Amino acid sequence: MKKRLIYFLSQKRIRSSIAEAWAKKLAVSDAQFISGSWCHTQTSPFVADALHEYAMEPPTTMPVTPSQQLLNEADLIVTIYDSASELAPGFPAELKDKIMYWDIKDPELSMDEPAKWARYQEVCDNIATSVKGLEKVLL
């Protein structure tokens, strides 16, 4: 049986890599999860720290930049963006039925370290809840 490809996409890959880590914990056996970014491949040590609180590791795979072929092959494209500071990317009309948008804050916008760490924890929790909701869609 062919695995469904679920592609998490965010501007800097920070939120998409958190989503990929959480998705791999789902009770879904026929799906492959990958993460990428449409702008920068930036990451942060806070990603690993936030996931370590749940005894999880961040993805070790390289970020995947969206190509037309990858977007066409994906069964679901989850676009994670912060509507207060980012524009969601535009997609061709033929992909609109497989695009899902999650409006989740960019944790990197916090200025000082304690505020940034708190924001990462909040974002990790929000992404976990959103990913858990995918189970109903994927089963």
Side-chain angles (χ1 to χ4, degrees), residues 9-53:
L9 186 61
S10 63
Q11 185 175 20
K12 300 174 190 156
R13 190 178 180 245
I14 289 168
R15 289 161 289 170
S16 61
S17 63
I18 293 170
E20 179 185 349
W22 277 109
K24 289 180 177 177
K25 295 289 189 184
L26 293 175
V28 178
S29 61
D30 67 338
Q32 174 190 359
F33 302 101
I34 60 170
S35 61
S37 66
W38 71 78
C39 194
H40 308 286
T41 57
Q42 176 183 351
T43 190
S44 166
F46 285 124
V47 170
D49 293 343
L51 290 171
H52 287 159
E53 286 196 329

Short mmCIF file of all heavy atoms in Angstrom, two decimals, residues 9-53:
data_model
loop_
_atom_site.label_atom_id
_atom_site.label_comp_id
_atom_site.label_asym_id
_atom_site.label_seq_id
_atom_site.Cartn_x
_atom_site.Cartn_y
_atom_site.Cartn_z
N LEU A 9 4.84 22.75 6.10
CA LEU A 9 5.58 23.83 5.48
C LEU A 9 5.43 25.10 6.31
O LEU A 9 4.32 25.49 6.65
CB LEU A 9 5.01 24.05 4.07
CG LEU A 9 5.67 25.02 3.14
CD1 LEU A 9 7.10 24.60 2.85
CD2 LEU A 9 4.88 25.11 1.84
N SER A 10 6.55 25.72 6.68
CA SER A 10 6.51 27.01 7.38
C SER A 10 7.61 27.90 6.82
O SER A 10 8.47 27.45 6.08
CB SER A 10 6.66 26.84 8.90
OG SER A 10 7.91 26.29 9.24
N GLN A 11 7.56 29.17 7.17
CA GLN A 11 8.48 30.13 6.58
C GLN A 11 9.94 29.81 6.88
O GLN A 11 10.79 29.91 6.02
CB GLN A 11 8.14 31.54 7.05
CG GLN A 11 8.99 32.59 6.37
CD GLN A 11 8.57 34.01 6.75
OE1 GLN A 11 7.94 34.23 7.76
NE2 GLN A 11 8.94 34.95 5.92
N LYS A 12 10.23 29.40 8.13
CA LYS A 12 11.63 29.17 8.53
C LYS A 12 11.93 27.72 8.89
O LYS A 12 13.02 27.43 9.33
CB LYS A 12 11.96 30.05 9.74
CG LYS A 12 11.82 31.52 9.47
CD LYS A 12 12.02 32.30 10.75
CE LYS A 12 11.64 33.74 10.55
NZ LYS A 12 11.27 34.41 11.77
N ARG A 13 10.98 26.84 8.79
CA ARG A 13 11.07 25.42 9.12
C ARG A 13 11.01 25.15 10.62
O ARG A 13 10.90 24.02 11.05
CB ARG A 13 12.29 24.73 8.53
CG ARG A 13 12.17 23.21 8.71
CD ARG A 13 13.31 22.44 8.12
NE ARG A 13 13.11 21.02 8.34
CZ ARG A 13 13.89 20.27 9.08
NH1 ARG A 13 14.92 20.78 9.68
NH2 ARG A 13 13.65 18.98 9.22
N ILE A 14 11.04 26.17 11.44
CA ILE A 14 11.00 25.95 12.88
C ILE A 14 9.71 25.25 13.26
O ILE A 14 9.71 24.19 13.88
CB ILE A 14 11.18 27.29 13.63
CG1 ILE A 14 12.63 27.77 13.47
CG2 ILE A 14 10.80 27.16 15.09
CD1 ILE A 14 12.87 29.18 13.91
N ARG A 15 8.58 25.81 12.90
CA ARG A 15 7.29 25.23 13.26
C ARG A 15 7.00 23.95 12.48
O ARG A 15 6.42 23.01 13.02
CB ARG A 15 6.17 26.27 13.06
CG ARG A 15 6.23 27.38 14.11
CD ARG A 15 5.48 28.59 13.71
NE ARG A 15 6.21 29.24 12.62
CZ ARG A 15 5.75 30.23 11.90
NH1 ARG A 15 4.55 30.71 12.11
NH2 ARG A 15 6.48 30.77 10.94
N SER A 16 7.44 23.88 11.23
CA SER A 16 7.18 22.66 10.46
C SER A 16 7.97 21.47 11.01
O SER A 16 7.48 20.34 11.00
CB SER A 16 7.46 22.87 8.97
OG SER A 16 8.81 23.22 8.75
N SER A 17 9.18 21.70 11.51
CA SER A 17 9.94 20.58 12.08
C SER A 17 9.31 20.10 13.39
O SER A 17 9.32 18.90 13.68
CB SER A 17 11.41 20.96 12.28
OG SER A 17 11.55 22.00 13.21
N ILE A 18 8.74 21.01 14.16
CA ILE A 18 8.02 20.60 15.38
C ILE A 18 6.80 19.77 14.98
O ILE A 18 6.52 18.72 15.57
CB ILE A 18 7.61 21.83 16.22
CG1 ILE A 18 8.85 22.53 16.79
CG2 ILE A 18 6.66 21.42 17.34
CD1 ILE A 18 8.57 23.88 17.44
N ALA A 19 6.10 20.19 13.94
CA ALA A 19 4.92 19.45 13.47
C ALA A 19 5.31 18.07 12.96
O ALA A 19 4.63 17.08 13.24
CB ALA A 19 4.21 20.24 12.37
N GLU A 20 6.42 17.97 12.24
CA GLU A 20 6.88 16.67 11.75
C GLU A 20 7.18 15.74 12.92
O GLU A 20 6.79 14.56 12.91
CB GLU A 20 8.12 16.83 10.87
CG GLU A 20 8.65 15.51 10.35
CD GLU A 20 9.96 15.63 9.57
OE1 GLU A 20 10.38 16.76 9.23
OE2 GLU A 20 10.56 14.58 9.30
N ALA A 21 7.86 16.24 13.94
CA ALA A 21 8.18 15.41 15.11
C ALA A 21 6.91 14.90 15.79
O ALA A 21 6.81 13.72 16.13
CB ALA A 21 9.03 16.20 16.10
N TRP A 22 5.93 15.78 15.98
CA TRP A 22 4.67 15.36 16.60
C TRP A 22 3.92 14.38 15.71
O TRP A 22 3.34 13.41 16.20
CB TRP A 22 3.79 16.58 16.92
CG TRP A 22 4.15 17.24 18.20
CD1 TRP A 22 4.75 18.44 18.36
CD2 TRP A 22 3.95 16.72 19.52
NE1 TRP A 22 4.94 18.72 19.70
CE2 TRP A 22 4.45 17.67 20.43
CE3 TRP A 22 3.39 15.55 20.03
CZ2 TRP A 22 4.41 17.49 21.81
CZ3 TRP A 22 3.36 15.36 21.40
CH2 TRP A 22 3.87 16.32 22.27
N ALA A 23 3.90 14.62 14.41
CA ALA A 23 3.14 13.75 13.50
C ALA A 23 3.68 12.32 13.51
O ALA A 23 2.91 11.37 13.37
CB ALA A 23 3.18 14.33 12.09
N LYS A 24 4.97 12.18 13.69
CA LYS A 24 5.54 10.83 13.72
C LYS A 24 5.10 10.04 14.94
O LYS A 24 5.29 8.83 15.00
CB LYS A 24 7.06 10.92 13.62
CG LYS A 24 7.49 11.36 12.23
CD LYS A 24 8.98 11.45 12.09
CE LYS A 24 9.30 11.82 10.64
NZ LYS A 24 10.71 12.00 10.41
N LYS A 25 4.46 10.69 15.90
CA LYS A 25 3.92 10.02 17.09
C LYS A 25 2.47 9.56 16.88
O LYS A 25 1.92 8.87 17.73
CB LYS A 25 3.96 10.95 18.31
CG LYS A 25 5.35 11.33 18.74
CD LYS A 25 6.03 10.14 19.35
CE LYS A 25 7.35 10.52 20.00
NZ LYS A 25 8.04 9.36 20.52
N LEU A 26 1.86 9.98 15.77
CA LEU A 26 0.46 9.61 15.52
C LEU A 26 0.33 8.11 15.25
O LEU A 26 1.26 7.48 14.75
CB LEU A 26 -0.09 10.38 14.31
CG LEU A 26 -0.26 11.88 14.46
CD1 LEU A 26 -0.70 12.50 13.14
CD2 LEU A 26 -1.24 12.22 15.57
N ALA A 27 -0.83 7.59 15.52
CA ALA A 27 -1.12 6.18 15.25
C ALA A 27 -1.61 6.04 13.80
O ALA A 27 -2.69 5.53 13.55
CB ALA A 27 -2.17 5.67 16.23
N VAL A 28 -0.80 6.49 12.88
CA VAL A 28 -1.12 6.44 11.45
C VAL A 28 0.04 5.72 10.77
O VAL A 28 1.16 6.20 10.78
CB VAL A 28 -1.29 7.86 10.87
CG1 VAL A 28 -1.56 7.81 9.39
CG2 VAL A 28 -2.38 8.62 11.60
N SER A 29 -0.23 4.57 10.19
CA SER A 29 0.86 3.76 9.64
C SER A 29 1.09 3.98 8.15
O SER A 29 2.13 3.63 7.63
CB SER A 29 0.61 2.28 9.91
OG SER A 29 -0.60 1.89 9.28
N ASP A 30 0.14 4.57 7.47
CA ASP A 30 0.27 4.68 6.01
C ASP A 30 0.59 6.10 5.57
O ASP A 30 0.16 6.54 4.51
CB ASP A 30 -0.98 4.17 5.31
CG ASP A 30 -2.20 5.05 5.57
OD1 ASP A 30 -2.19 5.78 6.58
OD2 ASP A 30 -3.13 5.02 4.75
N ALA A 31 1.36 6.83 6.37
CA ALA A 31 1.70 8.21 6.02
C ALA A 31 3.18 8.47 6.25
O ALA A 31 3.78 7.95 7.18
CB ALA A 31 0.87 9.19 6.82
N GLN A 32 3.75 9.26 5.37
CA GLN A 32 5.12 9.74 5.49
C GLN A 32 5.02 11.22 5.78
O GLN A 32 4.28 11.94 5.10
CB GLN A 32 5.88 9.51 4.19
CG GLN A 32 7.25 10.12 4.19
CD GLN A 32 7.90 10.09 2.81
OE1 GLN A 32 7.34 9.59 1.85
NE2 GLN A 32 9.09 10.64 2.72
N PHE A 33 5.76 11.70 6.77
CA PHE A 33 5.72 13.10 7.16
C PHE A 33 7.06 13.74 6.86
O PHE A 33 8.11 13.19 7.21
CB PHE A 33 5.40 13.23 8.65
CG PHE A 33 4.10 12.59 9.04
CD1 PHE A 33 4.07 11.34 9.64
CD2 PHE A 33 2.90 13.23 8.79
CE1 PHE A 33 2.87 10.75 10.00
CE2 PHE A 33 1.69 12.65 9.14
CZ PHE A 33 1.68 11.41 9.74
N ILE A 34 7.04 14.90 6.23
CA ILE A 34 8.26 15.66 5.99
C ILE A 34 7.98 17.13 6.33
O ILE A 34 6.82 17.55 6.40
CB ILE A 34 8.77 15.54 4.54
CG1 ILE A 34 7.73 16.05 3.54
CG2 ILE A 34 9.20 14.12 4.23
CD1 ILE A 34 8.27 16.16 2.12
N SER A 35 9.04 17.87 6.54
CA SER A 35 8.89 19.30 6.83
C SER A 35 9.84 20.10 5.96
O SER A 35 10.85 19.59 5.48
CB SER A 35 9.16 19.58 8.31
OG SER A 35 10.47 19.21 8.66
N GLY A 36 9.49 21.34 5.78
CA GLY A 36 10.32 22.21 4.96
C GLY A 36 9.97 23.66 5.19
O GLY A 36 9.18 24.00 6.08
N SER A 37 10.56 24.51 4.37
CA SER A 37 10.30 25.94 4.49
C SER A 37 10.19 26.56 3.11
O SER A 37 10.79 26.08 2.16
CB SER A 37 11.43 26.60 5.28
OG SER A 37 12.64 26.54 4.55
N TRP A 38 9.43 27.64 3.06
CA TRP A 38 9.31 28.32 1.79
C TRP A 38 10.23 29.52 1.69
O TRP A 38 10.34 30.15 0.66
CB TRP A 38 7.87 28.72 1.49
CG TRP A 38 7.29 29.83 2.33
CD1 TRP A 38 7.51 31.17 2.19
CD2 TRP A 38 6.38 29.69 3.40
NE1 TRP A 38 6.81 31.87 3.13
CE2 TRP A 38 6.08 30.98 3.89
CE3 TRP A 38 5.75 28.61 4.03
CZ2 TRP A 38 5.21 31.22 4.94
CZ3 TRP A 38 4.89 28.85 5.06
CH2 TRP A 38 4.63 30.13 5.51
N CYS A 39 10.95 29.81 2.76
CA CYS A 39 11.79 31.00 2.74
C CYS A 39 13.20 30.72 3.25
O CYS A 39 14.16 30.84 2.51
CB CYS A 39 11.13 32.10 3.58
SG CYS A 39 11.80 33.73 3.33
N HIS A 40 13.34 30.35 4.50
CA HIS A 40 14.65 30.12 5.13
C HIS A 40 14.65 28.74 5.77
O HIS A 40 13.63 28.24 6.19
CB HIS A 40 14.91 31.14 6.24
CG HIS A 40 14.72 32.56 5.82
ND1 HIS A 40 15.61 33.21 5.02
CD2 HIS A 40 13.73 33.45 6.08
CE1 HIS A 40 15.19 34.45 4.81
NE2 HIS A 40 14.05 34.62 5.44
N THR A 41 15.83 28.17 5.90
CA THR A 41 15.96 26.90 6.60
C THR A 41 16.42 27.11 8.03
O THR A 41 17.00 26.23 8.64
CB THR A 41 16.94 25.96 5.86
OG1 THR A 41 18.19 26.62 5.76
CG2 THR A 41 16.42 25.56 4.51
N GLN A 42 16.13 28.27 8.57
CA GLN A 42 16.53 28.61 9.93
C GLN A 42 15.96 27.60 10.93
O GLN A 42 14.86 27.10 10.79
CB GLN A 42 16.00 30.00 10.27
CG GLN A 42 16.27 30.43 11.69
CD GLN A 42 15.65 31.80 11.99
OE1 GLN A 42 15.18 32.47 11.11
NE2 GLN A 42 15.67 32.17 13.25
N THR A 43 16.76 27.31 11.92
CA THR A 43 16.30 26.49 13.03
C THR A 43 16.79 27.15 14.31
O THR A 43 17.46 28.17 14.27
CB THR A 43 16.77 25.03 12.89
OG1 THR A 43 16.09 24.25 13.88
CG2 THR A 43 18.27 24.88 13.00
N SER A 44 16.45 26.56 15.43
CA SER A 44 16.80 27.14 16.72
C SER A 44 17.02 26.01 17.72
O SER A 44 16.33 24.99 17.65
CB SER A 44 15.66 28.04 17.19
OG SER A 44 15.81 28.36 18.54
N PRO A 45 17.94 26.20 18.66
CA PRO A 45 18.11 25.17 19.70
C PRO A 45 16.86 25.03 20.56
O PRO A 45 16.65 23.99 21.18
CB PRO A 45 19.30 25.67 20.52
CG PRO A 45 19.49 27.10 20.15
CD PRO A 45 18.90 27.30 18.80
N PHE A 46 16.01 26.05 20.57
CA PHE A 46 14.77 25.96 21.33
C PHE A 46 13.83 24.88 20.78
O PHE A 46 13.00 24.36 21.51
CB PHE A 46 14.04 27.30 21.37
CG PHE A 46 14.66 28.31 22.29
CD1 PHE A 46 15.03 29.55 21.81
CD2 PHE A 46 14.86 28.04 23.63
CE1 PHE A 46 15.59 30.51 22.65
CE2 PHE A 46 15.42 28.98 24.49
CZ PHE A 46 15.78 30.21 23.99
N VAL A 47 13.95 24.55 19.49
CA VAL A 47 13.12 23.49 18.91
C VAL A 47 13.41 22.18 19.64
O VAL A 47 12.51 21.50 20.13
CB VAL A 47 13.36 23.34 17.40
CG1 VAL A 47 12.69 22.09 16.85
CG2 VAL A 47 12.88 24.57 16.65
N ALA A 48 14.68 21.83 19.73
CA ALA A 48 15.07 20.60 20.42
C ALA A 48 14.69 20.66 21.89
O ALA A 48 14.18 19.68 22.45
CB ALA A 48 16.57 20.35 20.26
N ASP A 49 14.92 21.79 22.53
CA ASP A 49 14.59 21.93 23.95
C ASP A 49 13.10 21.73 24.19
O ASP A 49 12.70 21.03 25.13
CB ASP A 49 15.01 23.31 24.47
CG ASP A 49 16.52 23.49 24.50
OD1 ASP A 49 17.25 22.48 24.44
OD2 ASP A 49 16.96 24.65 24.57
N ALA A 50 12.26 22.34 23.35
CA ALA A 50 10.81 22.20 23.52
C ALA A 50 10.37 20.76 23.30
O ALA A 50 9.53 20.24 24.05
CB ALA A 50 10.07 23.13 22.55
N LEU A 51 10.93 20.09 22.31
CA LEU A 51 10.56 18.70 22.05
C LEU A 51 11.12 17.76 23.11
O LEU A 51 10.49 16.76 23.45
CB LEU A 51 11.03 18.28 20.65
CG LEU A 51 10.28 18.93 19.50
CD1 LEU A 51 10.96 18.63 18.17
CD2 LEU A 51 8.82 18.49 19.47
N HIS A 52 12.28 18.08 23.66
CA HIS A 52 12.86 17.24 24.72
C HIS A 52 11.97 17.21 25.95
O HIS A 52 11.98 16.22 26.70
CB HIS A 52 14.27 17.71 25.09
CG HIS A 52 15.29 17.39 24.05
ND1 HIS A 52 16.47 18.05 23.95
CD2 HIS A 52 15.29 16.47 23.04
CE1 HIS A 52 17.18 17.56 22.94
NE2 HIS A 52 16.47 16.60 22.37
N GLU A 53 11.19 18.25 26.17
CA GLU A 53 10.26 18.24 27.30
C GLU A 53 9.24 17.10 27.18
O GLU A 53 8.62 16.70 28.15
CB GLU A 53 9.53 19.58 27.41
CG GLU A 53 10.40 20.68 27.95
CD GLU A 53 9.60 21.87 28.42
OE1 GLU A 53 8.52 22.15 27.86
OE2 GLU A 53 10.04 22.52 29.37
#
